[in-house]
Amino acid sequence: MTPSRLAVGLAALAFVWLGCDSLPGKPTEAERYRRPSEILDFESLYAVNCAGCHGSEGTLGPARPLADSLYLELIGRERMGRVIAEGVPGTAMPTFLDANGGTLTQAQIDAVRDGLFENWWKPPTKAAARKQLPGYAQPAAARAARGGDAFSKYCADCHGADGLGPEAPGERKANGKKGGAVLDPNFLALVSDQMLRTAVIAGRTDLGMPDWRATSDGGPMTEPEINDVVAWMSERRP
Amino acid sequence: MAESKSGPTSGPTNPRVVPPVTRRDFLFKLGLGLNVIAASLVAIPVVGYVVSALFHRSAQQAWIALGDLDRFPVNETRLATYRNPFTRPWDGVTADIPCWVRRTPDASGQPSFQIFAINCAHLGCPVRWFPESRLFMCPCHGGVYYEDGTVASGPPPRGLYEYAYRVKGGRLEVQGGETPNLAEPV
Amino acid sequence: MPGLAERARRTFGWFDDRLHLKAIFDSTAGHPIPRRSASWWYVFGSGTLVCFILQIVTGICLALVYVPSPNEAYASLEYLNYEQNLGWFLRGVHNWGSVFMVGLMTIHMIQVFLFGAYKYPRELTWVVGCVLFLLTLGAAFTGQIMRFDQDAYWGLQIGVSIAARIPFVGESIVHLLQGGPIIGAETLSRFFSLHVFVLPGLLIGGIVVHLRLVLTRGINEFPVEGQEVAPETYAAEYEELLEKTGIRFFPDGVDKDIVFAALVLFGIVGCAAILGPPIPNGPADPTLINTAPRPDFYFLSLFAAFALMPPYLEDFVIVYVLPVMVLGLFAIPFLSNVGEKHPRRRPGAVIAATLAMTTLCVMAWEGLDSDWSPHMDAWSGTAVPTHLVEGRTPLELQGALVLQVKQCRNCHALDGSGGKRGPDLSNVATRLTEDQLVRQVLQGGGNMPAYGKNLTPAEVTAVVAFMRTLHPRGQLPARDSAPPAVPASGTAGS
């Protein structure tokens, strides 16, 4: 056997060998099992733990949209991590940290939190816009008595003067331009004041509810008005 | 075969010889007897070796610490894991046994618990606790249990298996060692 | 100097003189068969044997690397899968070899049944064949255990739980299977020795008897309509058939078997190369409870049976029905020993085989979907379809949240996504009135837990309000047929 033939033979063998190694049935590293606690990529974690309520794209779920830069700006990274870990007692938000009886490790919660901000948070374009943003937490100094006026001024146009939504069910348009019954006692019983405040400030833009700057009255609500209307709504809770 | 051909006169076919107990007969019977004894000498230990798993029944339960009491908040159900005490060095992770610990409101000053086996009473699959709906669900055939372990729906013939527990020195201890099933529900 | 052929002949002669190879070969592979029995219908038995030999070869190769100890089994399996050169391929061949073996054996059995080949004088051949069938299923089950991943661990747990339901001896069987108080070190060793020593050994012995019976009583003649089997005349008839149309199995009647054997090997290697081996789904760690065990395909129909039968029947089925079914299989040649063989004259047999296979396939298909299993992550991972979110009131949105967070979606689908254990709720408003919805949520029933203790009144109101919106556009939700005693003033319920 001449050296050239030997070389051709070896090349053919190597080809077959490589061919074996790239067959479609060969298990890939991607298919390899990973323990649940080792899954640290945002997409997988979000798809299994968050998409059910917050929507698979971060919008149009029954719970607050997370693909909402304004909301992410409002809550901030640190608080977001805490909400995921501890949940919000009394509401539908469950606790996720394993030490609290949830299913995720702290590292996974950090990954979800960071992923939310990386994917859906854009820094405010103007420094001024950031300053305008009302505070996240509801202050104790709110005056509930004045909240009724603020509600009539900013909210009643969509949510009805009594806060029970448009009279006939058909009046509420499918595109959500008309708001629903936010003073329904059962609704109020199921949500926290913080949820109300967040909704007033950040809106639910995916369902047509504007944020605090673009109310039906045209102008932004002032921070005291926001405080008052949330306190007033809270008082309507049975 | 070859022998019977070579010696036709030595067999019992010869009518004049009354067949006494020949040496060959004796050796054959002796061999048979010896082999019966030898076979049982081998077989008894073999069978005993194989079925030994059926015995040593009493030593298969022990008290194992699950952790400090404050690991288990009142009115919550948490997953706890213990190392099975009856283990071989090469058992690996299979000897890490999970269980659900439910702490109920303290009765007369004593902390009180329910400790459920992970295994569904239907066919042994691992049930998962959902704190939101306060239900245990089984991923195999859809058995569902309430938080106190009673059957809520699905095929399980009984509630979740419960381990005995005790509180010793501020720590919760569980009596475990054996996987429960319908034949031996703990 | 003699020629090469002459030298070979002489060497063979030397061995043949001592080993009687030619005589053995003539009386086995060279046995006469009726010409019509060299048929494509008769290739499945030899195909099964080809699979078995392949299993032995690949099994020995895998055992070179595999470690049958719970501490290392899974790691050595992953090593085979991802690191050992071509280890994945051998795993694939071994896996698909077993799939083909069980499949071909089943086809072989059906063919034998339909052709009446089990009748006089081949009853024992059938009985030994049934033993081989059970042994092969045993090898398949123990083989699944060798993977020692989560499916293997929980499959074992299910097997043990089934055994535990047998009255009186259940407990002892459990201890024998486990070899200890839990599934652990000795369990895997037990199943390993079953899988690599006991079952293959018994299989080899069974195959020898099975083939020996084929030689002593001949291969079944191709059935002819109107020709009845009678024990008094059968032997003479078969003898006559051999004299008239007999050919030697080797080399005259083996052609189709050889072609089929090659096709089987191509099929197995092709499946291994293209579909690959099953990916082990996590170590046998009982603390990893985020698992949804599924059996390999051979046991999918059994898995489905346990899910679908009413719970009160389960013990009865384990203790009586399964053993009676197995005994029935063994008893077939004794129940119908004589008479017609041709399937066209045995409509009952055809119907029975068709029914049995249809049931098995449908059950396996159901097992593959396993709609009875809750989707454990659906509540947090399966989104509410966006068109059911848009245009809903705040309360209805909270209701949709309740439906997610209280794990309803684990069993109930919306628009086809979510668990399938309970009914799809996409059109639930057209089926149940508001009162009926409230009652169903609070009291459960129809295989649904009662949520009365686990929901606040506001949550019930919200989730029912949401479900009242679940009806097709233009179709009104269900309402009570009786008008309310006091006409509602203003707006109606919802």
Side-chain angles (χ1 to χ4, degrees):
Chain A
M1 191 177 271
T2 62
S4 67
R5 269 199 198 171
L6 188 73
V8 170
L10 281 178
L13 253 180
F15 185 76
V16 169
W17 202 250
L18 282 175
C20 274
D21 235 35
S22 59
L23 287 169
K26 186 173 160 73
T28 60
E29 275 301 320
E31 292 170 293
R32 195 169 185 151
Y33 174 83
R34 289 182 294 166
R35 293 177 84 93
S37 58
E38 286 167 4
I39 295 172
L40 286 172
D41 63 301
F42 171 70
E43 279 73 27
S44 317
L45 288 171
Y46 183 86
V48 172
N49 297 290
C50 320
C53 297
H54 295 284
S56 39
E57 305 294 326
T59 57
L60 290 178
R64 141 147 304 286
L66 297 175
D68 180 345
S69 187
L70 179 65
Y71 166 67
L72 293 175
E73 178 69 31
L74 179 69
I75 186 168
R77 265 174 201 263
E78 190 262 345
R79 216 184 253 116
M80 176 63 96
R82 221 165 44 222
V83 167
I84 300 173
E86 294 165 10
V88 183
T91 73
M93 178 68 187
T95 149
F96 278 96
L97 185 66
D98 45 11
N100 297 337
T103 51
L104 301 181
T105 65
Q106 187 60 54
Q108 287 176 309
I109 288 174
D110 293 348
V112 172
R113 182 198 61 193
D114 295 346
L116 288 174
F117 279 84
E118 262 162 47
N119 284 283
W120 291 325
W121 176 74
K122 291 182 242 34
T125 41
K126 289 179 215 155
R130 185 165 190 158
K131 276 195 184 135
Q132 278 179 2
L133 193 63
Y136 177 79
Q138 173 81 358
R143 296 150 303 177
R146 292 202 188 178
D149 296 341
F151 189 87
S152 309
K153 188 174 171 193
Y154 295 106
C155 317
D157 203 33
C158 287
H159 293 290
D162 53 0
L164 294 178
E167 290 291 299
E171 216 177 293
R172 183 160 40 83
K173 288 179 196 156
N175 62 13
K177 275 284 151 25
K178 284 283 183 187
V182 286
L183 292 184
D184 182 313
N186 287 306
F187 168 70
L188 288 174
L190 291 170
V191 297
S192 62
D193 289 357
Q194 183 61 57
M195 183 272 179
L196 294 172
R197 180 179 175 87
T198 309
V200 170
I201 298 172
R204 267 216 70 167
T205 45
D206 56 339
L207 292 178
M209 175 177 175
D211 62 48
W212 92 104
R213 292 167 301 193
T215 57
S216 62
D217 192 44
M221 296 171 77
T222 64
E223 184 149 3
E225 281 172 330
I226 293 171
N227 301 342
D228 297 348
V229 81
V230 170
W232 181 77
M233 289 178 77
S234 181
E235 272 193 355
R236 297 285 151 314
R237 190 180 281 130
Chain B
M1 240 194 329
E3 278 178 41
S4 69
K5 267 179 202 163
S6 63
T9 50
S10 64
T13 43
N14 192 337
R16 278 176 302 164
V17 181
V18 180
V21 180
T22 63
R23 187 178 296 172
R24 183 171 297 163
D25 265 353
F26 173 75
L27 271 180
F28 181 78
K29 282 179 181 150
L30 179 74
L32 212 61
L34 285 176
N35 270 291
V36 167
I37 296 168
S40 40
L41 282 179
V42 177
I44 290 169
V46 165
V47 172
Y49 176 88
V50 172
V51 302
S52 62
L54 291 177
F55 310 114
H56 318 297
R57 299 277 303 105
S58 53
Q60 313 249 314
Q61 296 282 345
W63 289 104
I64 313 131
L66 279 182
D68 294 332
L69 283 184
D70 46 350
R71 253 202 67 199
F72 305 104
V74 176
N75 282 330
E76 287 195 34
T77 301
R78 293 290 170 85
L79 189 71
T81 304
Y82 65 86
R83 184 86 186 155
N84 191 296
F86 309 103
T87 174
R88 316 285 176 276
W90 59 97
D91 260 336
V93 288
T94 54
D96 293 332
I97 307 296
C99 56
W100 291 109
V101 179
R102 173 188 184 220
R103 183 157 181 187
T104 45
D106 298 357
S108 64
Q110 286 295 311
S112 85
F113 291 89
Q114 277 186 300
I115 303 182
F116 302 112
I118 198 89
N119 306 91
C120 181
H122 180 227
L123 288 177
C125 287
V127 295
R128 212 182 304 173
W129 166 248
F130 288 101
E132 297 82 14
S133 53
R134 311 200 77 75
L135 293 172
F136 294 96
M137 286 190 194
C138 175
C140 286
H141 298 111
V144 183
Y145 306 82
Y146 294 118
E147 60 182 326
D148 61 356
T150 53
V151 179
S153 73
R158 50 157 287 161
L160 287 173
Y161 305 111
E162 261 187 73
Y163 294 115
Y165 74 92
R166 70 180 181 194
V167 179
K168 207 177 177 189
R171 289 160 73 81
L172 178 64
E173 292 189 345
V174 63
Q175 191 178 41
E178 239 177 305
T179 311
N181 53 51
L182 279 180
E184 294 169 275
V186 188
Chain C
M1 185 89 179
L4 198 65
E6 174 63 16
R7 247 203 267 174
R9 204 187 56 76
R10 264 198 228 160
T11 316
F12 176 77
W14 189 87
F15 278 105
D16 190 46
D17 196 30
R18 286 152 180 83
L19 290 169
H20 296 183
L21 294 173
K22 201 168 170 319
I24 293 174
F25 193 81
D26 283 347
S27 63
T28 53
H31 74 282
I33 59 168
R35 181 178 294 280
R36 279 196 75 196
S37 292
S39 145
W40 283 111
W41 287 106
Y42 281 58
V43 296
F44 303 112
S46 66
T48 313
L49 183 59
V50 168
C51 293
F52 178 64
I53 295 168
L54 187 67
Q55 291 305 88
I56 299 266
V57 174
T58 50
I60 289 173
C61 292
L62 290 175
L64 295 178
V65 173
Y66 179 76
V67 184
S69 137
N71 218 7
E72 285 94 9
Y74 186 77
S76 70
L77 200 84
E78 286 217 309
Y79 179 84
L80 272 169
N81 231 22
Y82 298 105
E83 275 149 72
Q84 164 74 39
N85 198 13
L86 292 173
W88 69 271
F89 188 73
L90 277 176
R91 277 199 63 224
V93 172
H94 199 65
N95 173 70
W96 287 102
S98 82
V99 172
F100 271 69
M101 185 170 169
V102 172
L104 288 174
M105 174 178 294
T106 312
I107 297 174
H108 177 52
M109 214 160 163
I110 295 167
Q111 178 265 322
V112 163
F113 178 73
L114 288 180
F115 278 33
Y118 57 84
K119 296 192 178 201
Y120 179 89
R122 301 187 181 83
E123 305 91 338
L124 192 56
T125 324
W126 171 269
V127 169
V128 175
C130 288
V131 173
L132 288 174
F133 182 72
L134 295 182
L135 287 173
T136 305
L137 285 185
F141 181 74
T142 51
Q144 187 196 327
I145 302 302
M146 290 307 100
R147 221 148 60 216
F148 222 57
D149 58 359
Q150 291 180 16
D151 278 353
Y153 180 87
W154 294 108
L156 205 48
Q157 193 70 262
I158 290 173
V160 165
S161 302
I162 291 180
R165 289 175 167 229
I166 301 170
F168 308 118
V169 291
E171 189 182 339
S172 306
I173 295 179
V174 168
H175 282 273
L176 271 184
L177 284 175
Q178 290 184 169
I182 59 165
I183 292 173
E186 288 175 40
T187 324
L188 181 56
S189 299
R190 247 151 227 262
F191 278 84
F192 179 76
S193 90
L194 277 178
H195 186 71
V196 306
F197 300 118
V198 180
L199 290 173
L202 291 174
L203 271 169
I204 291 173
I207 290 169
V208 166
V209 178
H210 200 64
L211 292 180
R212 171 79 190 147
L213 285 162
V214 172
L215 292 180
T216 52
R217 299 317 307 238
I219 193 82
N220 186 40
E221 77 279 7
F222 204 88
V224 179
E225 275 183 82
Q227 210 163 67
E228 300 204 359
V229 176
E232 305 80 42
T233 56
Y234 182 81
E237 281 168 14
Y238 189 78
E239 216 38 58
E240 192 191 329
L241 184 70
L242 278 188
E243 251 164 56
K244 270 201 233 152
T245 75
I247 56 174
R248 284 156 56 95
F249 174 65
F250 189 93
D252 305 325
V254 79
D255 48 349
K256 297 190 180 74
D257 292 273
I258 293 177
V259 172
F260 189 69
L263 289 180
V264 168
L265 290 176
F266 277 131
I268 294 172
V269 170
C271 283
I274 294 164
L275 301 171
I279 306 293
N281 68 341
D285 181 346
T287 63
L288 294 172
I289 56 167
N290 285 20
T291 182
R294 292 285 172 275
D296 280 4
F297 96 95
Y298 336 97
F299 301 103
L300 277 175
S301 32
L302 198 65
F303 175 68
F306 275 104
L308 294 176
M309 75 175 89
Y312 57 83
L313 268 182
E314 284 171 359
D315 288 336
F316 178 74
V317 168
I318 291 168
V319 179
Y320 297 105
V321 178
L322 284 181
V324 164
M325 276 166 66
V326 172
L327 280 181
L329 203 60
F330 278 93
I332 284 175
F334 306 103
L335 298 176
S336 114
N337 191 238
V338 295
E340 288 277 357
K341 278 187 174 177
H342 198 284
R344 211 167 288 157
R345 297 286 176 98
R346 295 163 55 232
V350 177
I351 291 171
T354 314
L355 269 182
M357 284 324 291
T358 316
T359 313
L360 271 181
C361 291
V362 169
M363 297 283 258
W365 180 254
E366 292 289 321
L368 210 57
D369 283 350
S370 53
D371 284 345
W372 51 81
S373 297
H375 292 199
M376 302 296 265
D377 291 328
W379 68 282
S380 60
T382 305
V384 181
T386 52
H387 70 94
L388 300 181
V389 171
E390 286 172 304
R392 263 44 180 196
T393 67
L395 182 67
E396 288 159 4
L397 286 180
Q398 288 299 312
L401 260 186
V402 170
L403 201 74
Q404 295 291 126
V405 167
K406 299 293 176 179
Q407 280 85 33
C408 307
R409 286 295 290 286
N410 287 15
C411 293
H412 290 289
L414 288 175
D415 265 5
S417 63
K420 306 281 193 309
R421 185 167 170 77
D424 190 311
L425 295 180
S426 308
N427 292 326
V428 71
T430 64
R431 298 194 296 271
L432 298 178
T433 67
E434 188 165 1
D435 290 347
Q436 287 171 323
L437 281 171
V438 171
R439 194 207 61 77
Q440 184 63 34
V441 169
L442 291 183
Q443 297 179 10
N447 231 348
M448 173 174 157
Y451 273 83
K453 278 189 286 184
N454 303 340
L455 294 180
T456 64
E459 283 171 332
V460 176
T461 311
V463 74
V464 169
F466 175 65
M467 286 194 284
R468 293 291 287 163
T469 71
L470 299 178
H471 55 85
R473 192 170 293 241
Q475 190 178 347
L476 287 176
R479 59 189 163 78
D480 284 327
S481 55
V486 183
S489 60
T491 53
S494 67

